[in-house]
Amino acid sequence: MAPGELRRALKVGGIAAWLMVGAPIFLGSALSAPRLAGWAAAYVAFLALFLIALRTSSLVAIAGEAVCVVALVLLLCDGFEGALLVLAALQLGGLVSRRRGLLWVAAQTALLAAAVSIHWAPRAALLLAPPYLGFQLLAFFVADVLAREARAREQLRAAQARLAETSRLEERLRISRELHDAVGHHLTALRLNLEVASRTAEGRAREPVEAAQSIAQLLLAEVRGAVEELRDSDRLDLPSALRALAEEMPRPHVHLTLPQVLPVTAGEEALTILRCAQEIVTNAARHAEARNLWLEVCERDGKLELRARDDGRGADEVRAGNGLQGLRERVERAGGALIVATSPGAGFSVCATLPLAGTAT
């Protein structure tokens, strides 16, 4: 799918090109009424399919655009209908692989050439097809490069978010070490000295020494508690972390569904769910070419489930890369199971199931 800015520009420019192709026909055509009605029907159908494809990234709609162009050429062929195929090529950029895109452009150019040959002559097809092929290739590669750059920016933002989280955890560990090694050491020394002083103090001096000893003991306990909390890198607020993950991704749009009360909000299960969600969102942005991603976290039959599905292009089979393999290993290490399903044009769906603490697996 083309990036948002390209999509808006393509909509405006596409409608303008569509109007320019049709204007000469309606203003000065000598077609008979039945043929003109057929041409107009195919002409309007092209615009409808063009707008549908822009909104849904439907390959079927883009294929329909090419069929409409062929119908226009067969009915009239004034030499300008091929410009509409350039719009279809623009929509393909970033939506399919470069290999598939090139084959698609070649196929619809061949259909255009065949229609021109039928309507006019093979010589006319040889004159018109190459320029339109070149325009289509240019449009396809421009859109493809823009889409790749948009995905690269999204990947960079996701990587920056992960780096920021890692830096935050490292800083927590550094602070915990400083508290333990420096402050904790001095407080321990202070407490021991006060304990010795309390044994030797007499009279009115004994009471403030014992009070200072109690304060030092309390401070030492608080420092130890703070160190334990800082060193607990798995401590997190799962609902807030998932909402932040959904909000920070510009594409795909993440639709997050959470119950009012989650069975876990911290600990190993929560961290595993968060890491799974992060990997799913990253894969949807990098590989799925999806516009929308639906994430749901819930409890079913005493187990914690993360369900995800996107509206991306899907694939013939699931190929486990490093990210997906790492995701599966993390889930299975926690005693859970991961199911991934996909098919061409149907996007990806992922279900991660984890046993809750205290339940049988």
Side-chain angles (χ1 to χ4, degrees):
M1 169 59 65
E5 292 183 4
L6 176 60
R7 191 182 302 113
R8 289 189 291 271
L10 182 54
K11 181 177 181 179
V12 175
I15 293 175
W18 176 80
L19 289 172
M20 294 302 101
V21 169
I25 306 301
F26 292 109
L27 293 177
S29 174
L31 283 176
S32 62
R35 291 186 65 192
L36 183 59
W39 192 94
Y43 179 69
V44 173
F46 176 91
L47 179 62
L49 291 168
F50 173 75
L51 296 176
I52 290 172
L54 276 182
R55 187 173 64 253
T56 65
S57 302
S58 169
L59 293 177
V60 174
I62 298 176
E65 293 174 30
V67 172
C68 289
V69 172
V70 172
L72 293 175
V73 173
L74 289 173
L75 288 169
L76 175 60
C77 191
D78 67 349
F80 299 109
E81 292 88 348
L84 299 178
L85 291 180
V86 177
L87 299 179
L90 268 172
Q91 291 174 297
L92 288 171
L95 184 59
V96 298
S97 66
R98 286 184 173 177
R99 181 175 179 274
R100 289 182 63 188
L102 292 176
L103 292 174
W104 188 300
V105 168
Q108 66 183 22
T109 303
L111 289 174
L112 174 67
V116 173
S117 298
I118 293 172
H119 187 87
W120 280 352
R123 177 176 174 79
L126 291 175
L127 292 174
L128 290 175
Y132 281 125
L133 175 61
F135 295 145
Q136 290 177 75
L137 292 176
L138 175 62
F140 172 76
F141 280 116
V142 167
D144 182 75
V145 169
L146 290 175
R148 288 170 182 262
E149 290 180 351
R151 287 195 290 270
R153 288 193 296 269
E154 291 165 4
Q155 294 169 24
L156 178 60
R157 280 193 288 267
Q160 288 173 337
R162 290 194 296 271
L163 178 61
E165 181 183 359
T166 301
S167 300
R168 179 180 62 83
L169 294 177
E170 289 177 351
E171 182 65 12
R172 284 164 60 111
L173 290 175
R174 187 190 67 80
I175 295 173
S176 72
R177 286 193 296 267
E178 290 294 325
L179 285 174
H180 180 272
D181 296 341
V183 180
H185 169 75
H186 292 308
L187 282 175
T188 300
L190 176 62
R191 183 181 65 81
L192 292 174
N193 279 280
L194 287 172
E195 184 177 346
V196 172
S198 67
R199 294 172 184 165
T200 58
E202 297 179 354
R204 299 177 60 183
R206 186 179 183 85
E207 183 176 346
V209 171
E210 290 179 345
Q213 182 183 3
S214 298
I215 294 173
Q217 182 70 26
L218 178 62
L219 285 175
L220 183 60
E222 291 182 351
V223 167
R224 286 173 174 170
V227 169
E228 290 178 0
E229 182 173 353
L230 286 170
R231 283 182 171 174
D232 185 5
S233 61
D234 293 348
R235 186 182 299 271
L236 58 89
D237 180 355
L238 180 59
S240 297
L242 289 172
R243 292 188 187 100
L245 176 66
E247 292 170 0
E248 73 186 11
M249 291 300 295
R251 180 174 172 270
H253 178 58
V254 181
H255 306 270
L256 180 64
T257 301
L258 297 175
Q260 291 186 347
V261 178
L262 275 174
V264 297
T265 57
E268 186 62 30
E269 297 97 339
L271 182 63
T272 300
I273 289 294
L274 177 60
R275 293 291 182 261
C276 290
Q278 289 173 330
E279 185 62 32
I280 290 168
V281 171
T282 299
N283 282 343
R286 293 179 59 186
H287 307 300
E289 299 175 359
R291 294 182 63 195
N292 296 281
L293 172 65
W294 291 268
L295 285 177
E296 179 187 7
V297 180
C298 61
E299 179 185 2
R300 285 190 177 92
D301 301 326
K303 295 181 179 180
L304 190 62
E305 286 190 2
L306 170 65
R307 293 181 175 273
R309 64 180 179 87
D310 63 55
D311 59 358
R313 57 193 174 101
D316 295 321
E317 59 180 348
V318 178
R319 297 179 181 177
N322 292 332
L324 185 57
Q325 184 62 32
L327 183 65
R328 187 180 299 279
E329 291 173 355
R330 176 183 284 273
V331 172
E332 292 178 351
R333 190 164 55 245
L338 183 74
I339 300 175
V340 183
T342 184
S343 61
F348 275 80
S349 64
V350 180
C351 178
T353 305
L354 296 174
L356 291 169
T359 62
T361 58

